[in-house]
Amino acid sequence: MELDSGHYDHAVKMRMLILGRLASSAVSAAAALRIPDLLAERSLTAAELSLRTGTPPHPLRRLLTALVAFEVLDEQPDGAFALTPFGTTLRSDVPGSAWASARLAGGEVGRSWDGLLETLHTGRPAFDEIFGLDFFTYLGRDPELRSVFYASQASDIEVTLEQLKSLGFADHPTIVDVGGGDGALLAHLLIAAPASRGVLFDRPAVVEKARVRVKAAGVGDRCAVVAGDFFSEVPEGGDLYVLRDILHDWTDKLCLDLLAVCRRAMPAHATLAIIERTADERAPRGPHARMVSLMDLYMMSVVDGRERTAGEFGRLLSDAGFEVRARHRLSSGAMVIEAGTPGAT
């Protein structure tokens, strides 16, 4: 068999890809031990970090050395470890923090990723098989996981918030955030739109935290928080309905059911804004395509959803009785798709 001239280089690269799960585990372990937060003020030695994390110094130093190799940490001449700018994103207190995402990867979500082969055999999310419940039911029963999950969502929002502010959401008197989680997005939108009112709609297990967040953000007097099931009903009478990272959680059938519920609740003039990561129409290449592909596998192994192309979103919207009016690509790779009732202005 004739091999490519770079075959053995490719073989090494493939092993790096295979071992990537260990890199993820190393980052997740550092987040669980709050090492990035401990290094926020000053560098610390392995011995000092050992005392502060309650872990033996020798295995901890091996973890720290691995994190240096991946440029999360920097080992200084005196042997102390410091955060790099890249590693700073793992602090829990910075905008766009990756800390909560790392915690998810180190817990139930990561265990579901490891069950990907089972998902390929059964066609069902590995999460359901491992934990005996679907993800959102489990989330409703586990306050700690729920807190980390919505912290991850809130941090993701911060990455694209400034661009969202430029899309004219402030022009809508009433903004309805469907599946709005703990209120992070709606609170930011209302701060940027001081003349607007908001309605946050989500499951009963979530909305109490949303009440706390919008009040803390100073917009509680302009924001109603409503509990319910968005497959049955959503609040009526809004001017802008927002679905952020909602449709990728569900099958096409359930997406159509949800969109139909939204359409029934929306006045003729109202706008629907879908904010989702979108896949390339052609064969994926490059960093954005890799992120979308990984998120698609995430959806497949944890929930029964998937990432979609802009064209696929367009077809879903058309089948649900909407027409696409505008698409806005954000620098994070997400897209905002604005839609409305055909013929309405």
Side-chain angles (χ1 to χ4, degrees):
M1 179 174 62
E2 185 175 350
L3 298 174
D4 180 87
S5 60
H7 171 76
Y8 292 107
D9 291 334
H10 293 319
V12 172
K13 184 178 178 181
M14 179 57 70
R15 283 164 172 78
M16 286 293 294
L17 183 60
I18 292 166
L19 292 169
R21 185 66 177 94
L22 281 171
S24 175
S25 294
V27 171
S28 297
L33 294 172
R34 291 193 176 269
I35 289 172
D37 288 344
L38 293 172
L39 294 174
E41 297 299 326
R42 66 181 184 89
S43 59
L44 296 169
T45 65
E48 290 171 321
L49 286 168
S50 172
L51 288 173
R52 298 192 184 199
T53 60
T55 57
H58 297 299
L60 179 62
R61 181 172 181 82
R62 292 165 73 175
L63 173 68
L64 299 172
T65 300
L67 293 172
V68 170
F70 283 95
E71 301 179 2
V72 176
L73 302 180
D74 180 41
E75 186 171 8
Q76 300 181 329
D78 62 359
F81 293 88
L83 282 175
T84 64
F86 177 47
T88 298
T89 64
L90 272 180
R91 284 175 49 182
S92 63
D93 60 348
V94 295
S97 168
W99 178 84
S101 295
R103 296 293 289 118
L104 290 175
E108 291 92 337
V109 167
R111 287 178 60 189
S112 301
W113 298 347
D114 291 337
L116 180 60
L117 181 60
E118 183 70 15
T119 291
L120 293 171
H121 280 302
T122 66
R124 296 187 297 274
F127 190 99
D128 298 19
E129 302 298 314
I130 294 169
F131 298 102
L133 294 170
D134 70 87
F135 178 74
F136 290 107
T137 300
Y138 189 97
L139 199 67
R141 299 181 183 183
D142 188 322
E144 182 178 356
L145 177 61
R146 187 166 64 245
S147 178
V148 173
F149 176 75
Y150 285 110
S152 174
Q153 296 286 90
S155 292
D156 288 348
I157 289 167
E158 291 173 341
V159 175
T160 58
L161 185 62
E162 289 304 315
Q163 289 177 292
L164 290 178
K165 288 179 181 178
S166 69
L167 295 182
F169 286 3
D171 298 336
H172 300 278
T174 301
I175 303 169
V176 182
D177 191 353
V178 179
D182 70 351
L185 175 60
L186 188 55
H188 284 305
L189 293 178
L190 291 178
I191 290 170
S196 298
R197 299 187 61 82
V199 181
L200 184 139
F201 187 79
D202 212 319
R203 296 179 302 282
V206 177
V207 293
E208 192 54 45
K209 191 166 185 179
R211 289 190 180 96
V212 173
R213 182 182 281 274
V214 296
K215 183 178 180 180
V219 296
D221 60 332
R222 294 190 285 126
C223 185
V225 178
V226 182
D229 175 6
F230 57 42
F231 287 114
S232 299
E233 62 178 354
V234 300
E236 298 180 347
D239 302 292
L240 174 69
Y241 285 72
V242 179
L243 290 171
R244 179 190 177 272
D245 282 353
I246 300 296
L247 296 182
H248 76 162
D249 291 333
W250 307 102
T251 63
D252 284 357
K253 179 184 182 305
L254 288 174
C255 286
L256 288 172
D257 290 345
L258 171 55
L259 290 170
V261 170
C262 291
R263 191 172 187 276
R264 287 197 300 270
M266 292 170 58
H269 71 274
T271 296
L272 176 69
I274 294 171
I275 306 171
E276 294 267 0
R277 188 176 286 103
T278 54
D280 294 332
E281 299 287 348
R282 298 183 178 180
R285 292 288 188 275
H288 169 66
R290 287 195 290 272
M291 175 62 83
V292 172
S293 296
L294 290 172
M295 289 300 298
D296 190 49
L297 296 178
Y298 185 154
M299 294 298 105
M300 184 167 67
S301 57
V302 177
V303 295
D304 199 11
R306 65 188 183 91
E307 302 300 324
R308 295 176 173 87
T309 66
E312 288 172 325
F313 279 118
R315 287 188 287 276
L316 277 177
L317 287 164
S318 177
D319 290 346
F322 290 95
E323 64 177 7
V324 175
R325 294 176 178 168
R327 294 185 177 93
H328 311 276
R329 172 70 74 181
L330 306 181
S331 62
S332 64
M335 179 177 286
V336 180
I337 302 173
E338 294 185 39
T341 303
T345 57

